[in-house]
């Protein structure tokens, strides 16, 4: 009898151990695979600022499915600053009842019911940039709350942080998220001031490299920061320039973040919007839409859902594209893809359309090689070319191609 019972318990112990090990492996994989390609989604900030509410966010989730964004690969719906209102007596973070009467869990459930993921925003300081409660001192409690709400993505800002150390603060929240036990993509938003590309791999999945983007070609607003004049609101071409040199720090699970998309916002022309989207794609940047996808001008949906351009961004090799030629107004950007092909953006910054030539040697191929070229905006096979390729890029615009060497 005793022998039988001990046999039974050894068996059940084994089963339990196997289950535990397998769950452990599954959980480890889920963390491992977080942001293995650049995150894609939508964030409320660029258009709605602090004016967010649950109906807006639910509409956006509906649009993801109805307009083909989900099908194109967009996944995360992130509410930025402005959802919080205060803390209760136990220190639990509270969402505004006016903006989110059904509560954050209900919103998260709604987003999940569409097969999408839900993201939220907080700040490493005492307050968010919009003046709402930050997570300073509440990191573990907030992380547990996010996990209980079913949060899948946290953007973590850097206002009201005084003399705090950025690596320490972001490490604390990273540990808090891990302790809470739910895989949550961790988006570091300290604007590049302490060079997060040098320390943030392993702490977060993406890190902002600059101050905030604005929906303009090259505007900028100078402010005084710690006694130094810096531009804190900048157009997309200025942000682009600041990405040069950061390429080697990006890879699967850890991305440079040149800020959210302004495609469809402000007075950007269609060519400028196409250029912005092509360049963010070739940079392997997170593709977080920032426009009102319920009301888009003609042409914007086609830009945001161009699957061939998105495939360049999402390529599994995870290489950030590099600028290989710059003649002042005309630039060539190249991204290595997993199948040996290259994506190339020919970027014309001038006010007139211009012919741009790319030689195969510039993109890392032997000069004599024959390559097949496909134009990703025209969605057209252009033929095979020996030595290189040239095309007319519109003013403030791009030509984006995929180049595949012909082996036979
Ligand atoms: C900072 C961030 C922005 C946005 C706002 C919210 O400026 O860089 O992306 O999150 O705060 O207040």
């Amino acid at each position: 009898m005793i022998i039988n019972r001990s046999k039974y318990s050894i068996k059940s112990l084994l089963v339990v151990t196997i289950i535990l090990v397998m769950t452990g492996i599954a959980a480890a994989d889920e963390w491992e695979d977080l942001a293995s390609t650049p995150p894609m989604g939508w964030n409320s900030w660029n258009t709605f600022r602090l004016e967010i509410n649950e109906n807006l966010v639910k509409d956006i989730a509906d649009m993801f499915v109805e307009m083909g964004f989900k099908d194109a690969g967009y996944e995360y719906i992130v509410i930025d600053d402005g959802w919080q209102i205060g803390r209760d007596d136990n220190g639990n973070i509270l969402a505004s009842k006016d903006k989110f009467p059904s509560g954050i869990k209900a919103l998260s459930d709604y987003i999940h019911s569409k097969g999408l993921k839900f993201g939220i925003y907080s700040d490493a300081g005492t307050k968010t940039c919009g003046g709402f409660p930050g997570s300073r001192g509440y990191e573990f409690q907030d992380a547990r709350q996010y996990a209980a709400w079913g949060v899948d993505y946290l953007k973590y800002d850097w206002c009201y942080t005084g003399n705090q150390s950025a690596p320490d603060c972001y490490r604390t929240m990273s540990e808090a998220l891990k302790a809470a036990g739910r895989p949550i993509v961790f988006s570091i938003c300290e604007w590049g001031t302490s060079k997060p590309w040098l320390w943030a791999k392993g702490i977060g999945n993406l890190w902002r490299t600059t101050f905030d983007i604005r929906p303009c070609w090259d505007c900028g607003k100078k402010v005084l920061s710690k006694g130094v004049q810096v531009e804190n609101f900048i157009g997309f071409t200025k942000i682009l320039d600041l990405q040069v040199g950061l390429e080697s720090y990006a890879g699967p699970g850890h991305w440079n973040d040149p800020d959210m998309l302004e495609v469809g916002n402000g007075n950007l022309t269609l060519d400028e919007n196409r250029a912005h989207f092509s360049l963010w794609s070739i940079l392997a940047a997170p593709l977080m839409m920032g426009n009102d996808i319920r009301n888009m001008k003609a042409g914007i949906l086609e830009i945001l859902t161009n699957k061939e351009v998105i495939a360049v961004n999402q390529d599994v090799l995870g290489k950030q594209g590099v600028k290989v030629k710059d003649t002042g107004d005309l630039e060539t950007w190249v991204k290595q893809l997993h199948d040996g092909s290259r994506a190339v953006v020919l970027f014309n910054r001038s006010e007139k359309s211009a012919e741009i030539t790319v030689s195969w040697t510039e993109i890392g191929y032997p000069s004599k090689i024959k390559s097949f070229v496909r134009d990703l905006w025209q969605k057209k096979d252009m033929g095979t070319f020996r030595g290189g390729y040239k095309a007319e890029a519109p003013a403030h615009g791009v030509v984006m191609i995929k180049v595949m060497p012909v082996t036979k």
Side-chain angles (χ1 to χ4, degrees):
M1 193 62 185
I2 292 169
I3 292 169
N4 270 350
R5 204 186 284 160
S6 72
K7 257 192 195 162
Y8 179 74
S9 61
I10 287 172
K11 222 177 172 184
S12 48
L13 207 71
L14 254 172
V15 172
V16 170
T17 314
I18 290 169
I19 291 173
L20 282 178
V21 168
M22 285 179 65
T23 331
I25 291 171
D29 276 357
E30 275 183 89
W31 287 95
E32 206 65 351
D33 292 345
L34 272 186
S36 61
T37 59
M40 292 177 65
W42 177 90
N43 174 300
S44 52
W45 181 253
N46 282 356
T47 295
F48 298 96
R49 295 294 190 257
L50 303 174
E51 305 304 315
I52 51 178
N53 63 69
E54 68 182 35
N55 288 335
L56 163 70
V57 182
K58 284 164 86 176
D59 281 354
I60 298 291
D62 295 345
M63 288 293 123
F64 260 51
V65 177
E66 284 164 30
M67 306 289 284
F69 290 109
K70 180 183 175 194
D71 187 45
Y74 294 92
E75 195 178 13
Y76 294 95
I77 296 187
V78 182
I79 49 171
D80 207 280
D81 206 354
W83 61 269
Q84 320 84 332
I85 195 71
R87 291 188 183 275
D88 69 12
D89 292 346
N90 298 318
N92 297 312
I93 189 74
L94 299 173
S96 157
K97 280 231 157 62
D98 291 340
K99 294 175 179 171
F100 299 93
S102 314
I104 299 295
K105 180 67 169 69
L107 183 62
S108 165
D109 288 347
Y110 186 83
I111 290 171
H112 289 143
S113 76
K114 304 258 161 184
L116 300 167
K117 291 187 173 165
F118 173 56
I120 212 163
Y121 161 101
S122 190
D123 189 289
T126 49
K127 288 187 209 169
T128 70
C129 299
F132 297 99
S135 289
R136 175 74 171 154
Y138 294 92
E139 293 87 351
F140 284 76
Q141 190 172 357
D142 284 355
R144 280 195 300 274
Q145 179 65 82
Y146 304 150
W149 280 338
V151 167
D152 305 295
Y153 184 111
L154 173 66
K155 172 175 168 185
Y156 204 49
D157 215 341
W158 191 238
C159 280
Y160 298 97
T161 45
N163 291 327
Q164 291 168 222
S165 133
D168 287 353
C169 289
Y170 285 97
R171 196 173 296 110
T172 303
M173 186 43 108
S174 178
E175 281 165 9
L177 293 174
K178 297 216 168 82
R182 181 179 172 87
I184 294 180
V185 170
F186 189 30
S187 158
I188 294 177
C189 177
E190 65 70 79
W191 323 310
T193 41
S194 69
K195 300 194 168 84
W197 46 89
L198 297 179
W199 53 260
K201 183 182 168 193
I203 294 179
N205 302 104
L206 56 154
W207 48 81
R208 281 274 297 278
T209 55
T210 67
F211 286 113
D212 292 10
I213 194 167
R214 282 292 180 273
C216 57
W217 172 257
D218 65 355
C219 61
K221 186 176 158 217
K222 284 221 156 65
V223 292
L224 211 58
S225 167
K226 295 183 182 150
V228 184
Q229 281 276 330
V230 293
E231 280 187 318
N232 72 342
F233 296 144
I234 41 184
F236 81 86
T237 59
K238 287 192 173 174
I239 290 196
L240 176 73
D241 293 339
L242 295 167
Q243 307 313 305
V244 174
L246 304 185
E247 301 84 2
S248 64
Y249 299 105
H254 53 278
W255 308 100
N256 288 309
D257 175 8
D259 207 358
M260 301 169 295
L261 294 166
E262 291 285 16
V263 172
N265 289 340
N267 293 322
L268 293 173
T269 65
L270 272 188
D271 280 329
E272 290 172 343
N273 277 307
R274 228 172 263 126
H276 177 20
F277 195 69
S278 304
L279 290 158
W280 260 233
S281 292
I282 210 148
L283 284 173
L287 296 180
M288 300 300 286
M289 299 182 285
N291 57 324
D292 184 352
I293 59 173
R294 301 167 308 175
N295 299 301
M296 288 179 282
K297 286 185 220 148
I300 298 301
L301 177 66
E302 288 72 18
I303 294 176
L304 289 168
T305 56
N306 182 320
K307 289 187 181 172
E308 295 185 61
V309 174
I310 290 172
V312 169
N313 175 267
Q314 293 290 300
D315 185 78
V316 291
L317 192 60
K319 285 266 185 196
Q320 178 168 328
V322 292
K323 182 164 74 172
V324 292
K325 195 170 175 189
D326 186 341
T327 65
D329 274 342
L330 309 180
E331 298 176 4
T332 304
W333 291 76
V334 182
K335 184 181 197 287
Q336 244 180 285
L337 304 176
H338 77 281
D339 59 359
S341 65
R342 305 276 191 271
V344 178
V345 170
L346 305 173
F347 182 31
N348 175 10
R349 296 173 93 124
S350 79
E351 315 262 306
K352 279 190 283 176
S353 80
E355 190 174 83
I356 308 183
T357 302
V358 53
S359 72
W360 293 164
T361 50
E362 281 163 8
I363 61 171
Y365 293 143
S367 64
K368 298 260 160 50
I369 207 168
K370 252 172 63 180
S371 288
F372 172 77
V373 172
R374 180 164 172 87
D375 187 305
L376 304 188
W377 286 114
Q378 289 188 55
K379 300 184 180 163
K380 193 166 149 197
D381 294 340
M382 308 309 283
T384 24
F385 298 82
R386 200 182 286 280
Y389 180 76
K390 63 178 175 214
E392 189 80 10
H396 279 198
V398 294
V399 168
M400 185 164 182
I401 56 172
K402 192 168 161 182
V403 182
M404 172 63 101
V406 181
T407 42
K408 290 177 270 166

